[in-house]
Amino acid sequence: MTRVAAIDCGTNSIRLLVADADPETGELTELDRRMTIVRLGQGVDRTGRLAPEALERTFAACREYAAVIKEYGAERLRFVATSASRDAENRDDFVRGVLDILGVEPEVITGDQEAEFSFTGATKELIGRTDLARPYLVVDIGGGSTEFVVGDDHVRAARSVDVGCVRMTERHLVHGDKVSDPPAEEQVAAIRADIEAALDLAEETVPLREAHTLVGLAGSVTTVSAIAQELSEYDSARIHHSRVSRDRVREITEWLLRSTHAERAAVPSMHPGRVDVIGAGALVLLAIMERTGAREVVVSEHDILDGIAWSVA
């Protein structure tokens, strides 16, 4: 057994996993898993830079995570940074801050690397299940980008495209400092056009329609599952490996896009940091299901973070 720590810093959230990994049995025993909404990608699509307040929120979370890692005595740590820090002109400020706090340099990985980690994390425990036909299409809907991976035991094709819940919200729904509440039909249409263009791009290298099982990852997908189940609070155990039909995803997406901030915030399973971006995230999921013909999505709580942990082990 090796005690490892993995940190995934995305556009919207930063997450930590501390676990004992046994490469011989393929078991990952979770000791601590937590997530903080830091919105690191605030304004990056518009300015090309990481905002000072976004950096400080992220560094505050890193200080908290450093204490947790020390408490558990993890032997190895890997810190992976994704879309927002790939795009930012001042990402060196981010790298220096993380190095000072955690003692490791964040790896600003490529979209293809991100896809590989996501696939490993999501599918390692699915191998051998007879109720889920292969190949899998693993879709990781993040804040700034979405990763598409098709594979069986290993990745066959992968592509990352710049469509995510934060990027789409900021690009099409924010005017001044306010998010349209609810968005107008033409704003939703503009988001949908961007998503469709991104799907066209993904299909150039990834055979999206050849997959038999769609596996959805990250906060937009897990939140849709929580809403579909009408959970009284966010419950990872009930969300993990739940299945949501395309019709139910469409129904939830349409409601999210016509609801107000207050109505979305009143959903008991909704994280406060997702209230303004969940509509765009759900629309990405719906568009993928319609494009691929997937009748349902299998929702996974295990994703890039678990893949990073395995890479350390």
Side-chain angles (χ1 to χ4, degrees):
M1 289 286 231
T2 304
R3 182 157 293 181
V4 299
I7 294 176
D8 166 38
C9 186
T11 302
N12 196 44
S13 64
I14 183 169
R15 300 180 302 144
L16 167 70
L17 172 63
V18 181
D20 286 331
D22 187 341
E24 291 187 8
T25 64
E27 292 182 8
L28 197 66
T29 304
E30 179 181 317
L31 302 173
D32 196 298
R33 187 188 295 259
R34 58 184 68 195
M35 182 269 290
T36 309
I37 299 285
V38 294
R39 199 65 64 85
L40 178 62
Q42 173 192 331
V44 167
D45 191 57
R46 177 175 51 84
T47 67
R49 298 180 62 82
L50 298 168
E53 60 271 28
L55 284 169
E56 186 45 48
R57 289 193 299 267
T58 304
F59 294 154
C62 287
R63 286 187 279 272
E64 174 194 331
Y65 291 177
V68 174
I69 292 165
K70 183 178 180 180
E71 177 186 346
Y72 280 102
E75 301 168 45
R76 302 175 188 172
L77 164 65
R78 188 171 191 179
F79 187 117
V80 165
T82 52
S83 180
S85 47
R86 272 202 304 269
D87 300 339
E89 294 173 6
N90 60 332
R91 66 183 184 184
D92 287 348
D93 296 339
F94 167 69
V95 171
R96 282 195 298 270
V98 171
L99 184 59
D100 287 345
I101 297 166
L102 288 161
V104 297
E105 188 168 313
E107 299 174 53
V108 182
I109 61 174
T110 65
D112 286 344
Q113 288 174 303
E114 192 173 347
E116 184 87 36
F117 286 144
S118 294
F119 185 83
T120 301
T123 65
K124 197 170 184 69
E125 61 188 352
L126 299 181
I127 294 171
R129 284 187 56 167
T130 58
D131 60 324
L132 298 176
R134 295 186 291 175
Y136 309 114
L137 169 59
V138 175
V139 175
D140 188 340
I141 303 172
S145 63
T146 295
E147 282 65 55
F148 298 87
V149 196
V150 166
D152 297 289
D153 295 335
H154 302 286
V155 173
R156 282 170 38 188
R159 186 70 177 263
S160 178
V161 295
D162 285 338
V163 170
C165 60
V166 174
R167 193 185 297 269
M168 292 297 94
T169 299
E170 291 192 346
R171 182 177 295 175
H172 297 292
L173 303 184
V174 176
H175 294 282
D177 293 327
K178 293 185 178 181
V179 178
S180 298
D181 187 31
E185 287 185 13
E186 57 268 26
Q187 292 176 305
V188 174
I191 295 176
R192 186 67 186 244
D194 274 4
I195 296 169
E196 294 296 337
L199 288 171
D200 290 341
L201 196 62
E203 280 200 292
E204 290 179 2
T205 50
V206 181
L208 302 181
R209 304 172 210 236
E210 291 182 13
H212 296 304
T213 298
L214 174 64
V215 183
L217 316 182
S220 292
V221 180
T222 59
T223 300
V224 166
S225 173
I227 296 171
Q229 296 182 67
E230 300 181 355
L231 299 182
S232 59
E233 61 181 3
Y234 192 94
D235 186 338
S236 294
R238 291 185 62 182
I239 290 168
H240 188 49
H241 289 173
S242 61
R243 303 184 187 196
V244 187
S245 71
R246 184 172 66 223
D247 288 344
R248 188 73 172 113
V249 170
R250 182 180 296 109
E251 179 183 322
I252 291 167
T253 301
E254 289 174 353
W255 178 80
L256 289 169
L257 291 171
R258 67 172 183 266
S259 63
T260 64
H261 177 97
E263 288 170 333
R264 295 189 300 277
V267 174
S269 57
M270 180 79 68
H271 191 289
R274 296 204 186 280
V275 174
D276 287 331
V277 299
I278 184 60
L283 188 57
V284 174
L285 174 61
L286 177 61
I288 291 167
M289 297 182 79
E290 291 177 344
R291 174 69 69 99
T292 62
R295 295 181 180 179
E296 66 175 12
V297 58
V298 178
V299 181
S300 178
E301 284 275 4
H302 295 177
D303 50 27
I304 185 173
L305 196 56
D306 302 76
I308 296 165
W310 276 116
S311 74
V312 179

